[in-house]
Amino acid sequence: EAGVVQSPRYKIIEKKQPVAFWCNPISGHNTLYWYLQNLGQGPELLIRYENEEAVDDSQLPKDRFSAERLKGVDSTLKIQPAELGDSAVYLCASSDSGEQFFGPGTRLTVL
Amino acid sequence: AQSVTQLGSHVSVSEGALVLLRCNYSSSVPPYLFWYVQYPNQGLQLLLKYTSAATLVKGINGFEAEFKKSETSFHLTKPSAHMSDAAEYFCAVSGTGFQKLVFGTGTRLLVSP
């Protein structure tokens, strides 16, 4: 069974540019999570989806971050415009109400 | 609110030695507790979890952890370290099942031959 797929794996952009990350969860998993992992830190939840609905987005900086999960499967996380401090790993995870399964992450570098 | 504290950002052991990674938690409700491992450039993988059943929890790769309410601890141990255990380990807590995980800052385990 395929795990959580994320792309791209690495992204380098200049500040003020937009960037988007894509996540394909494990088939059948209704819950999808986006996490931010800064260097030397543990993951921090940005947003959680139950099917198409964002049920917890309290930690998502809504001035520049947005996310969507159309059709309740794939999800996209966008940053516009990116800032230097956004350099981090962005992790996607999915679950079927139990254990969370994590993807390999997208490492973003903002120059 | 829930939080975890991982003592020691780095732990070094020799191959074959005991591994002990420390985690203390704070929770206003009975917690669920987790240990995850992260290898370089990979996502997190669940090692084991405590969900209010047995206090001694056995996980994958020979790891285990013991829930001690009196000490608010959930330390991770392995009797004999292997080179392949070198990775970053994260303790996490949740007060609402598996969903709202709060992670610690991680401990990097270094294993020398």
Side-chain angles (χ1 to χ4, degrees):
Chain A
E1 179 181 334
V4 176
V5 179
Q6 291 188 247
S7 69
R9 292 292 314 277
Y10 304 90
K11 188 73 176 179
I12 301 174
I13 61 172
E14 294 188 348
K15 63 181 180 181
K16 300 185 181 180
Q17 294 300 305
V19 64
F21 315 124
W22 176 79
C23 173
N24 180 238
I26 292 173
S27 177
H29 282 192
N30 296 326
T31 309
L32 185 145
Y33 311 76
W34 282 103
Y35 287 88
L36 165 67
Q37 186 176 20
N38 285 305
L39 185 65
Q41 300 293 318
E44 300 172 27
L45 181 68
L46 288 173
I47 189 168
R48 173 168 66 95
Y49 282 93
E50 294 290 346
N51 298 304
E52 302 90 353
E53 183 181 0
V55 296
D56 185 354
D57 63 356
S58 57
Q59 300 303 311
L60 188 72
K62 299 181 182 63
D63 57 336
R64 297 184 300 107
F65 286 66
S66 64
E68 60 182 14
R69 191 184 184 199
L70 301 177
K71 301 181 181 179
V73 181
D74 296 0
S75 177
T76 302
L77 178 69
K78 298 178 181 178
I79 308 175
Q80 183 170 11
E83 297 178 352
L84 295 176
D86 296 331
S87 294
V89 176
Y90 293 82
L91 294 167
C92 179
S94 70
S95 75
D96 61 354
S97 78
E99 173 189 348
Q100 293 186 31
F101 292 84
F102 285 80
T106 297
R107 182 177 297 277
L108 173 67
T109 301
V110 182
L111 302 176
Chain B
Q2 286 77 39
S3 67
V4 291
T5 301
Q6 291 186 242
L7 298 176
S9 59
H10 293 79
V11 170
S12 295
V13 300
S14 300
E15 193 172 20
L18 171 71
V19 175
L20 171 61
L21 304 182
R22 300 178 185 273
C23 173
N24 288 91
Y25 70 90
S26 173
S27 178
S28 55
V29 298
Y32 282 27
L33 291 159
F34 308 80
W35 276 101
Y36 283 83
V37 61
Q38 186 176 33
Y39 297 101
N41 299 316
Q42 295 186 27
L44 281 72
Q45 180 184 8
L46 183 65
L47 279 176
L48 49 80
K49 59 183 181 288
Y50 166 78
T51 58
S52 75
T55 57
L56 182 61
V57 181
K58 295 186 183 298
I60 62 172
N61 301 339
F63 284 94
E64 64 180 35
E66 185 172 9
F67 173 72
K68 292 187 177 181
K69 184 178 180 180
S70 61
E71 299 178 7
T72 61
S73 68
F74 190 59
H75 301 332
L76 182 70
T77 61
K78 182 174 180 178
S80 177
H82 192 272
M83 296 295 289
S84 61
D85 294 326
E88 188 91 19
Y89 291 81
F90 292 94
C91 181
V93 63
S94 172
T96 57
F98 293 88
Q99 294 176 336
K100 198 166 182 94
L101 299 182
V102 176
F103 288 86
T105 53
T107 297
R108 182 167 299 277
L109 177 65
L110 306 169
V111 183
S112 56

